[in-house]
Amino acid sequence: MIQTQSFSINQPTKILFGADSVKQLSDLVAELGGSRVFLVADPGLKHAGIISHVSAILDTAKIPYTLYDKVTPEPGLKLADQGLKLAKKNKANCVVGVGGGSALDIAKAISILLTNDGKAEDYLGLGKIKLKGVPKIMIPTTAGTGAEVTFTAVFVNEKTNSKGGMNGDPLYPDAAILDPKLTLSLPSHVTAATGIDAFTHALEAFVSTQAHAISDMYALEAIDLISNNLRLAYANPANLEARSAMLLGSLLGGKALATAGVGLVHAMAYPLGGMFNTAHGLANAVLLPYVVEYNIIGCPDKYAAIAQIMGYETEGLPLREAAQLAVEAIHQLNADVGIPNSLGALNIPTDRIPEMARIALTVTRPVENNPRKPTEEDVIAVYEAAFNGSF
Ligand SMILES: [Fe+2]
């Protein structure tokens, strides 16, 4: 395939990957010039002992920290503003985020709010952040959002009940620590939803109109890692090898999306999060096979390649048939890890579909990246298919 796409890449995040790599946190804080840490952590990690494990590393190194664990799924802007107040009061000069995408997004936002004036709402959109934030280190405990290597932080705007992202280079974390041991306690249903989210990042980046040689490299490797390991991690949460592969796949999916973007699945999942608080990963996972089915005619060769990576025999098949196998492969992956095959299972009322479709089309960048340009009627048809369980 000839690559004609122009691209520019700025992926400045230092990456530490491996079992027990979290032990290097204190050295990393010092290396980045931090001396007072603001620790943003998902409260769900308490019972797994992860917060105490991370804070003990700071304690041992005598690095003072303030714990902020008011993280919720699909966080509102006010969580970033409240955290900012506490971080300022404690004179934090380094932010560490521990958890899933919500914790990392709040941590990223607080880092830039500490150096830029104003409130979180002021920075929704692209390129509004002027100054680099205080050093920020991300420690993902799901595999996952890839938020540890992206320049985006997504929030629910409580005023409009819609989701919105801050986007800009200052949001790139200075460092990410990926320790697969921290993902061992993830419950299976979270492993499934976050794993398919990571898979969706890789898939949507691969078929994106912005895809290029380097994003393809990340995306294809991520598709391979995730599709071959998600079932193993779901079936046996203690499988460290599968957890490592998933965390690496999630990281590579994040690196792919950071440069090639995501597509219609993410645009259509946005209103589900904003209007009904549906978890991001789950919304994407349910929508994914229906969007792929709709998209197929936009780049059948790429979907055929995905089917092949996912273990389907495509040789000798007409291109369209080979591409169609990707839909089957994704339905099977979803079914194997307990993802419902219909939006009906998420308690979303069908009479809100037209409103959902309108909102999805306002998520402009993912819609533009999509390999097939959707009309409002198209988006309605895809939502309806995702309700009915078939096109
Ligand atoms: Fe996502």
Side-chain angles (χ1 to χ4, degrees):
M1 201 178 310
I2 297 166
Q3 291 287 346
T4 53
Q5 181 67 47
S6 305
F7 62 89
S8 93
I9 295 186
N10 173 25
Q11 300 197 334
T13 306
K14 174 173 181 165
I15 293 164
L16 301 181
F17 186 95
D20 292 321
S21 55
V22 72
K23 290 179 181 167
Q24 297 174 62
L25 173 62
S26 47
D27 290 344
L28 201 49
V29 170
E31 185 187 314
L32 293 170
S35 57
R36 301 179 70 85
V37 165
F38 193 66
L39 183 59
V40 180
D42 193 323
L45 300 173
K46 247 183 215 154
H47 73 275
I50 292 174
I51 298 179
S52 54
H53 181 50
V54 171
S55 56
I57 293 162
L58 296 172
D59 281 333
T60 304
K62 297 193 168 42
I63 297 173
Y65 64 87
T66 306
L67 175 64
Y68 182 62
D69 63 359
K70 303 282 180 284
V71 176
T72 58
E74 306 300 311
L77 289 165
K78 71 168 189 285
L79 286 182
D81 291 325
Q82 286 168 356
L84 171 67
K85 247 186 228 165
L86 190 63
K88 273 186 176 163
K89 194 173 144 203
N90 288 280
K91 300 189 167 44
N93 59 11
C94 179
V95 178
V96 175
V98 187
S102 306
L104 304 194
D105 283 358
I106 293 170
K108 286 157 78 172
I110 291 171
S111 158
I112 62 99
L113 289 167
L114 278 166
T115 54
N116 293 269
D117 287 335
K119 300 170 89 172
E121 188 183 356
D122 304 334
Y123 297 99
L124 290 177
L126 178 63
K128 298 215 175 125
I129 308 160
K130 300 294 172 232
L131 303 172
K132 191 174 158 51
V134 303
K136 46 188 166 299
I137 301 168
M138 300 300 133
I139 308 176
T141 61
T142 65
T145 60
E148 68 275 11
V149 288
T150 65
F151 78 163
T152 298
V154 180
F155 292 92
V156 172
N157 187 339
E158 296 94 338
K159 285 184 195 160
T160 57
N161 240 3
S162 63
K163 284 180 78 169
M166 300 177 181
N167 303 285
D169 283 357
L171 282 170
Y172 273 120
D174 295 84
I177 301 179
L178 295 110
D179 185 339
K181 281 190 172 177
L182 300 183
T183 67
L184 290 174
S185 58
L186 267 187
S188 287
H189 70 280
V190 182
T191 300
T194 54
I196 300 285
D197 183 32
F199 180 83
T200 306
H201 297 153
L203 181 144
E204 293 211 290
F206 182 55
V207 301
S208 167
T209 56
Q210 302 302 308
H212 52 80
I214 295 174
S215 63
D216 282 358
M217 188 180 73
Y218 289 131
L220 290 171
E221 183 67 15
I223 290 168
D224 195 0
L225 283 165
I226 297 167
S227 61
N228 284 305
N229 287 280
L230 178 56
R231 292 175 179 90
L232 298 173
Y234 178 82
N236 177 10
N239 183 337
L240 185 60
E241 211 176 306
R243 291 294 197 185
S244 298
M246 284 300 299
L247 196 56
L248 185 58
S250 164
L251 166 74
L252 298 180
K255 286 181 84 71
L257 88 86
T259 168
V262 287
L264 188 59
V265 178
H266 273 75
M268 289 181 61
Y270 256 59
L272 299 185
M275 291 162 69
F276 310 110
N277 228 19
T278 310
H280 174 78
L282 188 58
N284 278 327
V286 176
L287 289 167
L288 177 63
Y290 303 102
V291 175
V292 169
E293 176 111 50
Y294 166 74
N295 276 348
I296 272 185
I297 61 166
C299 54
D301 52 342
K302 289 196 165 185
Y303 288 111
I306 290 169
Q308 194 178 26
I309 294 171
M310 294 180 79
Y312 282 67
E313 185 55 63
T314 57
E315 225 175 283
L317 289 182
L319 185 58
R320 178 64 189 265
E321 261 177 56
Q324 192 65 32
L325 288 175
V327 180
E328 193 181 319
I330 293 164
H331 271 303
Q332 188 61 56
L333 181 59
N334 269 353
D336 285 344
V337 299
I339 301 289
N341 80 337
S342 155
L343 282 178
L346 307 185
N347 292 325
I348 291 153
T350 46
D351 61 355
R352 305 287 295 275
I353 287 180
E355 191 182 345
M356 286 156 55
R358 271 196 304 279
I359 294 171
L361 286 173
T362 65
V363 191
T364 43
R365 283 198 312 148
V367 170
E368 280 164 17
N369 295 338
N370 200 59
R372 183 173 175 182
K373 299 297 159 221
T375 62
E376 203 169 304
E377 291 70 35
D378 290 344
V379 177
I380 287 172
V382 178
Y383 275 130
E384 282 173 349
F387 266 101
N388 299 333
S390 66
F391 260 101

